[in-house]
Amino acid sequence: MTEPLEKRLEKAMAELQAAQEAVARTERELRSASFSVVSSDRAVRATAGPQGELTGIEFLENKYRDMSPQELAASVLEAASAARLKMNRHVMKAMAPFAEPSSDVPELKGFELDWERIFGPEVLREDDEDSARGPATPAWRDALGDEGED
C-alpha cells in the first residue's frame, strides 16, 4: 500500500532539513580546512586553503640554497599542486553524499556532479596515499633534463 501524500511530503521535508543542516556543517568544516604537502625532494612544504588557494610556502632545511632556480620552482610547483589536489579531493569526498539519491524518499533522485570539470581530471585519478608507490621520479623532474645538475 502506498503512503499518503502528506506522509511522503513530511518525510521529504524532514530529509531536506537534515540535508541543509549537514551541508551547513560541511561548509563550516571546509572553510577552515587546509592541506600541506612536502615536495618529493623534501625542500618545500606548500599549504592549500579551503578554496585550493596557496596559503603558505616553507623552504625546508635551507635546501633551496643548493638548488638551481629551475629545481626550486619545480619543487614549489610540485608541492603546491599536490596540496591543492588533496584539498580538491577532500571537498569532493565531503560533498559527494549530498548528491546521492535519497533512500527514504524515492522522489529525491540525487544529481551527478562533474568533478572532473570542476577540479580537473587529476582529482579522479587514484590517490597516491591509497596506492603502493615506489621511489619513482616525478614527471616534473624529467622535464628538467640535465639542467641544474652538476
Side-chain angles (χ1 to χ4, degrees):
M1 184 147 91
T2 59
E3 245 181 330
L5 181 60
E6 288 177 7
K7 199 70 160 164
R8 288 179 25 216
L9 187 56
E10 189 177 304
K11 274 186 179 178
M13 290 303 293
E15 186 162 330
L16 176 62
Q17 182 176 355
Q20 288 173 330
E21 291 168 2
V23 166
R25 277 192 309 274
T26 302
E27 285 178 348
R28 281 191 303 276
E29 185 272 327
L30 289 174
R31 273 195 291 273
S32 64
S34 68
F35 285 91
S36 293
V37 174
V38 175
S39 61
S40 60
D41 60 10
R42 319 250 346 124
V44 176
R45 177 183 295 118
T47 303
Q51 295 179 338
E53 75 278 15
L54 190 59
T55 60
I57 292 284
E58 294 176 65
F59 299 104
L60 306 174
E61 301 174 18
N62 292 322
K63 290 183 179 184
Y64 69 94
R65 293 177 186 270
D66 297 326
M67 299 172 81
S68 72
Q70 295 86 0
E71 288 173 320
L72 181 57
S75 291
V76 169
L77 289 174
E78 175 200 2
S81 294
R84 184 171 179 257
L85 180 59
K86 276 184 167 261
M87 179 54 72
N88 291 347
R89 285 182 174 151
H90 180 69
V91 169
M92 186 174 82
K93 288 175 186 172
M95 298 305 289
F98 303 116
E100 294 175 1
S102 168
S103 57
D104 294 334
V105 183
E107 292 83 3
L108 298 177
K109 302 217 183 283
F111 55 93
E112 282 199 34
L113 290 168
D114 188 350
W115 295 114
E116 184 175 351
R117 196 174 103 221
I118 294 169
F119 294 126
E122 61 277 351
V123 78
L124 298 177
R125 293 191 187 119
E126 187 174 337
D127 190 349
D128 289 342
E129 291 177 359
D130 294 338
S131 64
R133 62 180 200 196
T137 303
W140 59 265
R141 288 280 180 210
D142 293 339
L144 285 176
D146 290 334
E147 286 183 53
E149 293 181 8
D150 291 337

